[in-house]
């Protein structure tokens, strides 16, 4: 049996799979930008990306960079890994962040560098990015600097 590379055997987090609709989101993430769709007709932001606006029905959509600032809308703490690549990251906080650009503009993400005991709904968050593999970058959120200093 040939020698194996130990790093190759270490389970990794699943990689995002872009499609025609979501490719601009993942392309922006590679550049450490958070972008979401915005309807050209009614000016409503939407996430998850769709081929049409669920408010007015138009297919005229653009991608707009957003600030990356948000508030913690909801969260759950996972103590069991949902896949082998998450085993070294427990407890794992799955969060819903409400982006500041629009009420109810929600993004499901994970919250990094946070102690679950310090969390409460409404805490300010900021986007950060993790490179899972070369060219595969995912947006995540962490507590904003003012919150991190308060909880330290």
């Amino acid at each position: 049996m040939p020698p194996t590379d130990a790093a190759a055997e270490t389970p990794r987090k699943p990689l995002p799979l872009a499609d025609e609709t979501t490719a601009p989101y993942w392309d922006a993430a590679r550049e450490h930008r958070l972008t979401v769709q915005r309807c050209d007709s009614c000016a409503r932001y939407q996430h998850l990306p769709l081929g049409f606006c669920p408010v007015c029905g138009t297919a005229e959509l653009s991608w707009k960079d957003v600030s990356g600032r948000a508030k913690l809308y909801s969260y759950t703490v996972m103590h069991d890994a949902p896949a082998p690549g998450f085993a070294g990251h427990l407890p794992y906080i799955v969060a819903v962040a409400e982006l500041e650009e629009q009420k109810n503009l929600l993004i499901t993400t994970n919250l990094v560098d946070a102690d679950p005991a310090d969390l409460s709904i409404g805490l300010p968050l900021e986007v950060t990015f993790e490179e899972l593999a070369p060219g595969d970058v995912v947006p995540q959120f962490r507590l904003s600097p003012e919150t991190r200093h308060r909880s330290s």
Side-chain angles (χ1 to χ4, degrees):
M1 182 176 232
T4 60
D5 179 6
E9 294 177 13
T10 303
R12 291 186 166 180
K13 291 179 184 176
L15 300 177
L17 296 174
D19 61 22
E20 183 179 308
T21 304
T22 64
Y25 178 82
W26 297 115
D27 291 344
R30 275 187 213 94
E31 298 173 1
H32 291 212
R33 295 183 297 111
L34 185 63
T35 191
V36 296
Q37 282 183 324
R38 186 165 184 255
C39 177
D40 295 340
S41 180
C42 71
R44 185 109 177 121
Y45 287 99
Q46 64 186 31
H47 187 79
L48 297 168
L50 297 169
F52 63 94
C53 174
V55 174
C56 72
T58 185
E60 300 301 317
L61 304 167
S62 300
W63 288 90
K64 302 291 182 188
D65 287 356
V66 292
S67 67
R69 292 185 298 272
K71 290 194 178 192
L72 184 59
Y73 184 85
S74 181
Y75 69 96
T76 190
V77 180
M78 299 178 69
H79 297 280
D80 295 316
F86 294 92
H89 302 278
L90 297 172
Y92 189 78
I93 304 167
V94 177
V96 177
E98 182 179 45
L99 299 175
E100 77 172 12
E101 281 74 14
Q102 176 181 289
K103 184 172 176 51
N104 292 321
L105 178 56
L106 306 176
I107 184 168
T108 302
T109 183
N110 68 299
L111 193 56
V112 296
D113 302 328
D115 182 338
D118 294 335
L119 300 180
S120 62
I121 301 304
L123 283 176
L125 306 175
E126 66 180 8
V127 73
T128 187
F129 296 88
E130 178 183 3
E131 186 170 16
L132 299 176
D136 286 306
V137 178
V138 294
Q140 305 175 107
F141 282 78
R142 63 182 174 202
L143 298 175
S144 67
E146 64 271 12
T147 305
R148 287 194 307 261
H149 295 336
R150 268 196 326 239
S151 62
S152 320

